[in-house]
Amino acid sequence: EPEVTQTPSHQVTQMGQEVILRCVPISNHLYFYWYRQILGQKVEFLVSFYNNEISEKSEIFDDQFSVERPDGSNFTLKIRSTKLEDSAMYFCASGQKETQYFGPGTRLLVL
Amino acid sequence: AQRVTQPEKLLSVFKGAPVELKCNYSYSGSPELFWYVQYSRQRLQLLLRHISRESIKGFTADLNKGETSFHLKKPFAQEEDSAMYYCALNTGFQKLVFGTGTRLLVSP
């Protein structure tokens, strides 16, 4: 059964550095998402992406964040200048309509 | 405001006991509700969606619009059901709103 994959599984970075989190959605899915989960808190929506553009984003998804689907298979989340509070588990998801399928997550630690 | 409430952080039961994980939602439109499960060190997996009205691994959930609830039930819990359970609301705007999750612990 096809699954969403994410790389890396863990990333440690210094405050102020740029990070790129990568996702390979399920191949026939059209909708793509990023969520994050700060330790001990709920899973929070960041952004949804459809037809090569952002369809919705949350207040968390400020100018420091961007998403891209560079080659028709990968879906990336870039954080330009990481802050300590960006430390979290980042989940990618994909879907065809209302149901979303999640990747295993990337644990980001900002020092 | 769209909100999902899971009042129990931890639910501990013995094997064979009935389980009910509570979920209430707040949404003025027509909701689509889901239960996701996360076993230890694994990804979030879709367990149930209310539009399917199906039973997966013995779990069922019924949408009660009057009580704005979507409680997850299983008549006889198994040890392998131990996991984190998240209720989620899709408001039709391409995002899921999650509850804080309930950890189910099934003891032998």
Side-chain angles (χ1 to χ4, degrees):
Chain A
E1 188 173 324
E3 291 184 327
V4 176
T5 59
Q6 289 184 243
T7 53
S9 58
H10 295 77
Q11 173 113 33
V12 181
T13 190
Q14 296 290 324
M15 191 169 58
Q17 295 296 303
E18 174 183 286
V19 294
I20 297 176
L21 309 183
R22 300 179 196 281
C23 170
V24 179
I26 295 172
S27 62
N28 62 343
H29 286 178
L30 301 175
Y31 298 86
F32 313 108
Y33 312 85
W34 284 100
Y35 292 81
R36 79 172 186 192
Q37 186 177 29
I38 295 170
L39 191 65
Q41 299 185 22
K42 66 167 82 175
V43 177
E44 300 174 288
F45 169 79
L46 291 178
V47 65
S48 60
F49 193 86
Y50 171 71
N51 202 26
N52 280 320
E53 59 184 23
I54 289 173
S55 46
E56 190 174 353
K57 58 183 181 180
S58 71
E59 316 80 57
I60 304 167
F61 194 88
D62 62 21
D63 293 344
Q64 292 300 313
F65 291 87
S66 62
V67 289
E68 199 176 37
R69 190 156 157 79
D71 56 13
S73 63
N74 290 286
F75 180 51
T76 61
L77 174 70
K78 183 194 289 187
I79 310 175
R80 286 191 190 81
S81 178
T82 49
K83 307 185 193 71
L84 296 176
E85 54 265 36
D86 293 328
S87 295
M89 192 75 158
Y90 287 81
F91 293 105
C92 173
S94 70
Q96 289 174 313
K97 202 173 178 186
E98 66 276 337
T99 302
Q100 299 180 23
Y101 298 88
F102 283 77
T106 294
R107 185 170 296 285
L108 176 66
L109 179 60
V110 183
L111 302 176
Chain B
Q2 306 137 11
R3 190 167 59 243
V4 175
T5 303
Q6 293 180 252
E8 303 135 331
K9 279 193 169 180
L10 172 67
L11 186 62
S12 186
V13 301
F14 288 106
K15 177 181 166 183
V19 167
E20 183 179 51
L21 294 108
K22 291 186 169 35
C23 171
N24 288 90
Y25 67 91
S26 173
Y27 179 55
S28 56
S30 186
E32 292 177 22
L33 284 144
F34 302 82
W35 278 99
Y36 282 83
V37 60
Q38 189 173 33
Y39 300 103
S40 180
R41 295 198 181 90
Q42 295 187 28
R43 70 184 67 208
L44 282 162
Q45 298 175 31
L46 177 65
L47 181 63
L48 283 178
R49 45 186 184 163
H50 91 270
I51 55 174
S52 301
R53 299 187 65 81
E54 57 203 342
S55 173
I56 304 290
K57 300 184 180 182
F59 285 97
T60 58
D62 289 316
L63 177 61
N64 185 323
K65 290 188 178 180
E67 296 182 359
T68 59
S69 69
F70 188 57
H71 303 328
L72 184 68
K73 299 177 186 178
K74 184 168 183 177
F76 308 105
Q78 304 300 313
E79 288 179 69
E80 55 265 30
D81 296 328
S82 295
M84 198 73 183
Y85 290 80
Y86 294 95
C87 183
L89 167 69
N90 185 330
T91 61
F93 293 107
Q94 296 305 316
K95 73 177 187 187
L96 287 174
V97 176
F98 283 86
T100 48
T102 297
R103 182 169 298 283
L104 175 63
L105 185 60
V106 182
S107 305

